[in-house]
Amino acid sequence: MAPEDGASSVTSSPLQFFPWVSLSPGYGSPYPWLRELKSEERGLCLIHLLLACANHVAAGSVENANISLEHISHLASADGDTIQRIAAYFTEALADRILKRGWPGLHRALTFTKRSLVSEEILVQRLFFELFPFLKLAYVITNQAIVEAMEGEKMVHIIDLNSCEPAQWINLLQTLSARPGGPPHLRITGIHEQKEVLEQMALRLTEEAEKLDIPFQFNPIVSKLEDLDVESLRVKTGEALAVSSVLQLHALLAADDEMHKRSSPSASKAANSNQFQRALHISKNQRTLGEWLEKDLVHVYSASPDSALSPLSLAPSPKMGSFLNALWGLSPKLMVITEQESNSNGFTLMERVTEALNFYAALFDCLESTVTRASVERQKVEKMLFGEEIKNIIACEGTDRKERHEKLEKWILRLDLAGFGRVPLSYHGMLQASRLLQSYGYDGYKIKEENGCLFICWQDRPLFSVSGWRFRRYD
C-alpha cells in the first residue's frame, strides 16, 4: 500500500509507554497478561494502539498495521466496556480499508454476500429512534418551527427529505388539528429509496389524518437524494412550502471531492507528524476515552484546510450547490436542517479517525449509561448503524464515502452562499424539547441555544445541530 496524504512518518510504537508489551506476534506474545490489565490501563493502551494502527494504515505500512491489529484484537470486544466496543468497530474499519485498497478482489470476495436487508435497515433506524432522544428532539423542534412559520396558511406543503418515521408527522397532524381557525390542507412529499418504507408512511399518516379530520395528501417519491428530480416534488402555486432534512444533506458532499485531493499535502503531512507525536505522549492520569479525546484531540488537525471557514473550502461539491439552488428555487417559507455536529469529512485518514473517535465515543457513552451491555438492541445499533458509519468514514473514499459529517459553522456558510436566510428557532421549541427530555427521563442530555440554532448535547458535547432557514431574494 502506498502512503496516503497526511500519514505521519512516526515509526516509534505507542507501546513504548507500555514497555512490557511485545510488538512481535507469536514469540513473546503479551496475550496472557493483556487480560489482566486494569480497565483504565487497557483503555489507554487501546487508544494508543488505535492511533498507531491508523497511522500505519495511512502510511501504507501493512506489516506494522497487522501487528497493531493483532494486539488490539486481544483488548477490544464488541460486548465489553465503551472503549473496548468502539475499538472493535474502528479496528474492523481499519482492516477493511487495508483490504479494500490493497486487495480489492479479496475484499469483494469476503463482502460479496454481506448485504443488509431492507427489514434490517428499517429495524436499526427504529432502534436508534427508540434508544436515543436525538431524533425525537429534532422532530419536536422542526414541527414547532413549521407550526410557527405556517400560522394562518391554508395550504401547507412539506417536503421530507428522508421520509421514514411517521411519529414526526403524526405529532404535527395532532398539533395542527387544534390550531385556532382549523387545520390547513396538508400535503407531505416523502422521499426515500425504499418503496416499502414510503408505503408504510402513507398508510399511517392517512389513517391519522382521517381520524383527526384533516385534509391530507401524501406524495411518495422513491429516489436516493442525490438522484432526486426536483420537478417531481410538484410544488403548486399558493402552497406555503416547508422542507425538513434530518441527517441527509451531508451525503451529497460525496459527489465530488477531487478539488480537495489537488490541495498540496506537504503542510498537512508535517502538521500530522507533530500532532501524532503529541497524541502519543498523553498523561496516564487521563483515564477515560471521552476525557482523553476531549483534552487531547479537540484541537488535533485544526489547522487543516478542510477546517477553514472560507468559501473556497465549500467549493468542491457541485452536487450540493445545485441541490441547494434547486431548493432555493422552490421559495420555501421554512427549511429546518438537522446534521451531525462533527467534522468527519477531513482530507486525511488521521483527521477522520480522530474526529470519528471523538463523535462516536460520545454516542457509545450514551448507550453505556442507559442500556445494559448484553442488550441485543444495543448491539444491533452499534454494529449495524454506528459500525457501518465508522467503516464508511474510514474505509471508503470518493463517491462511496457518504458519511461526510460537517459542523454547523460550515453549513451556515454553505446555505448563506446558496441564498438562504437564517430563521431563529424559537424559545418555545427549545422549551418543548427540554420538556421531552424530562418526560422521558433522559439524564445527561442537554439542549443548547447559540445564535438562533439549537444543539443537542451529551453532557457538554454537542452531537447534533438543528437550524432554521428560509428563501431569501438576492439583492
Side-chain angles (χ1 to χ4, degrees), residues 21-43:
V21 179
S22 166
L23 264 181
S24 302
Y27 181 76
S29 171
Y31 306 151
W33 66 261
L34 278 176
R35 291 190 292 270
E36 299 174 6
L37 282 177
K38 295 179 181 178
S39 177
E40 297 89 347
E41 294 173 336
R42 182 182 61 225

Side-chain angles (χ1 to χ4, degrees), residues 98-210:
I98 293 173
L99 282 179
K100 182 174 289 190
R101 293 172 69 85
W103 296 274
L106 179 60
H107 179 268
R108 280 193 293 272
L110 290 174
T111 59
F112 190 75
T113 61
K114 292 181 180 179
R115 299 288 185 269
S116 60
L117 301 174
V118 173
S119 58
E120 292 176 338
E121 294 176 0
I122 295 173
L123 171 63
V124 76
Q125 290 295 336
R126 164 55 55 173
L127 290 175
F128 179 67
F129 177 79
E130 292 176 349
L131 294 179
F132 294 90
F134 302 121
L135 293 182
K136 298 183 185 76
L137 294 170
Y139 294 157
V140 164
I141 295 166
T142 299
N143 285 358
Q144 180 59 32
I146 291 174
V147 169
E148 293 173 4
M150 300 302 170
E151 185 177 357
E153 296 287 354
K154 300 299 183 183
M155 302 281 290
V156 175
H157 183 184
I158 298 172
I159 297 173
D160 183 359
L161 298 186
N162 183 38
S163 196
C164 64
E165 181 49 65
Q168 176 180 11
W169 305 123
I170 288 175
N171 172 265
L172 181 67
L173 285 166
Q174 293 169 348
T175 303
L176 290 175
S177 69
R179 191 177 79 165
H185 182 286
L186 179 63
R187 189 154 68 98
I188 295 179
T189 295
I191 301 160
H192 199 277
E193 57 184 292
Q194 302 293 348
K195 183 180 179 182
E196 302 95 317
V197 173
L198 292 173
E199 288 174 345
Q200 285 297 313
M201 286 287 291
L203 180 63
R204 292 285 306 281
L205 296 183
T206 301
E207 287 177 349
E208 188 68 21
E210 289 176 353

Side-chain angles (χ1 to χ4, degrees), residues 38-48 83 287 289:
K38 295 179 181 178
S39 177
E40 297 89 347
E41 294 173 336
R42 182 182 61 225
L44 187 60
C45 187
L46 268 172
I47 294 167
H48 281 311
I83 303 178
R287 298 181 180 277
L289 178 59

Side-chain angles (χ1 to χ4, degrees), residues 427-439:
Y427 174 76
H428 190 54
M430 180 176 177
L431 188 61
Q432 283 190 332
S434 299
R435 286 174 178 169
L436 186 146
L437 283 179
Q438 292 175 353
S439 67

Side-chain angles (χ1 to χ4, degrees), residues 161 191 223-228 245 248-249 252 319 323:
L161 298 186
I191 301 160
S223 174
K224 293 182 179 180
L225 199 59
E226 58 264 35
D227 300 327
L228 178 66
S245 175
Q248 293 305 299
L249 288 184
L252 295 177
K319 188 70 175 180
F323 185 79

Side-chain angles (χ1 to χ4, degrees), residues 325-394:
N325 286 336
L327 290 181
W328 180 88
L330 299 176
S331 305
K333 193 170 185 180
L334 176 70
M335 181 164 68
V336 184
I337 296 173
T338 301
E339 281 291 335
Q340 292 89 343
E341 184 64 5
S342 176
N343 189 28
S344 59
N345 191 27
F347 290 157
T348 69
L349 176 63
M350 289 302 294
E351 284 179 290
R352 302 207 299 271
V353 167
T354 53
E355 280 287 338
L357 266 173
N358 213 332
F359 181 74
Y360 287 97
L363 290 177
F364 276 68
D365 278 341
C366 293
L367 287 176
E368 179 76 3
S369 71
T370 57
V371 187
T372 64
R373 292 180 181 177
S375 166
V376 175
E377 291 77 14
R378 173 180 176 177
Q379 292 171 352
K380 284 182 182 294
V381 169
E382 290 176 341
K383 178 177 177 61
M384 297 167 60
L385 185 61
F386 298 155
E388 290 303 308
E389 289 179 356
I390 290 167
K391 190 182 297 181
N392 187 266
I393 291 168
I394 293 174

